[in-house]
Amino acid sequence: MPAPSTPIAHATPLFLLHQWLVAIRTSAALVLFLLACLAVAGPARAQPLQLDADLSILERSFNGRLQAFHDKTGQLTREQVASPAYEQQFKTLEGAFNGGYAKGAWWMRLQIQASPAQVAHPLEGGWWLRLNAPCADYIDVWWPDVKGGASDGFTHRALGGMRAGSKRELSWSIPAVRLPDLTDTEPRWVWVRLAGDRTLSLAGGVSPLREQAVVQQELDYVDAAVTGMVLLMAVVSLMMGIALPDRRFTWYAG
């Protein structure tokens, strides 16, 4: 009596191809599932902002290094947003921050890291954190206190349009705070909170004091050019209103 044939003996090439495709599809689904798990395991990591004088100003900008979280209530503290409950809610930004009109407050965080050369020979005048947020009424900045003694181990600076300009470390139009001289190359988190009734945005980076002065000077040139164009148009309109019978041009000068 002949031995019973096994199912595999009667498997056709079409059946084997089908089984092979099913196996590939299952493996692909498993790989995608694992990648998705890794993606949601935590926020994308941004590279620390290097305190290195050999880098260009663009290489020391916020682009690609900011992580943002929207506090809809506007009541959360730095300790709360730094807790694991909110850790997953920070999203890495590809460029500068632009939050538009939104109630509450926006939290940003980034890491700073000193180069070995900076640790060995701290930069004269120090490093300054540029916070170009022109429409923010309140700007709060925290970083770990490297010398100890500050409240809760963090140093806090309060800036913004609704706060006295006399309290700024630099009485310039671009808000800036001096960062501490780091004693090692370990990355440290810096926290920034923006709040206000207007559209909120944030650009900037870290700069030596001299570079910070150059950035401010360039901004002043732009402001002066715009003001000059407005005054020129006013003078031209006034002259045309005087020279021509149509007096409506004089209203343009106002």
Side-chain angles (χ1 to χ4, degrees):
M1 183 177 180
S5 58
T6 59
I8 192 65
H10 295 285
T12 64
L14 185 60
F15 174 79
L16 294 176
L17 178 61
H18 173 72
Q19 293 296 100
W20 181 67
L21 291 175
V22 170
I24 291 179
R25 189 179 302 171
T26 304
S27 300
L30 179 60
V31 170
L32 292 175
F33 174 76
L34 293 175
L35 290 176
C37 291
L38 291 175
V40 300
R45 283 294 182 185
Q47 293 298 316
L49 196 57
Q50 299 292 324
L51 306 183
D52 189 344
D54 292 332
L55 299 178
S56 68
I57 188 172
L58 293 178
E59 293 174 308
R60 289 185 269 103
S61 71
F62 287 162
N63 292 348
R65 295 180 173 87
L66 285 177
Q67 294 182 344
F69 162 67
H70 183 215
D71 170 20
K72 295 181 180 180
T73 66
Q75 302 298 319
L76 295 178
T77 64
R78 191 209 61 81
E79 291 78 9
Q80 289 175 314
V81 297
S83 66
Y86 295 95
E87 179 76 17
Q88 309 297 327
Q89 301 187 42
F90 278 86
K91 305 298 182 183
T92 300
L93 307 178
E94 295 183 0
F97 167 74
N98 188 353
Y101 292 95
K103 293 183 178 180
W106 279 95
W107 286 87
M108 257 70 60
R109 67 179 187 179
L110 69 150
Q111 286 185 307
I112 57 173
Q113 185 178 31
S115 66
Q118 168 65 23
V119 174
H121 304 286
L123 195 68
E124 183 179 357
W127 286 94
W128 293 78
L129 186 70
R130 289 181 287 107
L131 300 164
N132 191 6
C135 296
D137 294 331
Y138 302 97
I139 306 174
D140 293 275
V141 189
W142 293 264
W143 61 80
D145 183 39
V146 296
K147 296 181 179 180
S151 175
D152 297 325
F154 278 80
T155 300
H156 173 236
R157 294 288 185 271
L159 307 165
M162 295 298 290
R163 286 168 172 154
S166 59
K167 294 184 177 180
R168 295 185 181 185
E169 295 175 84
L170 294 176
S171 57
W172 299 348
S173 61
I174 299 179
V177 294
R178 180 171 178 172
L179 295 170
D181 292 330
L182 303 182
T183 57
D184 54 54
T185 58
E186 290 296 318
R188 289 173 170 81
W189 284 106
V190 175
W191 302 82
V192 181
R193 181 184 183 273
L194 302 180
D197 296 329
R198 296 172 291 174
T199 179
L200 298 177
S201 61
L202 177 65
V206 291
S207 293
L209 183 59
R210 183 179 295 276
E211 184 179 84
Q212 173 74 10
V214 171
V215 173
Q216 179 64 51
Q217 190 176 42
E218 291 176 351
L219 182 62
D220 291 342
Y221 286 155
V222 173
D223 291 341
V226 172
T227 303
M229 289 297 296
V230 172
L231 292 176
L232 178 62
M233 293 299 298
V235 171
V236 171
S237 298
L238 180 61
M239 294 177 63
M240 293 182 67
I242 295 175
L244 298 176
D246 191 347
R247 300 301 182 185
R248 288 179 297 179
F249 282 101
T250 57
W251 291 100
Y252 297 151

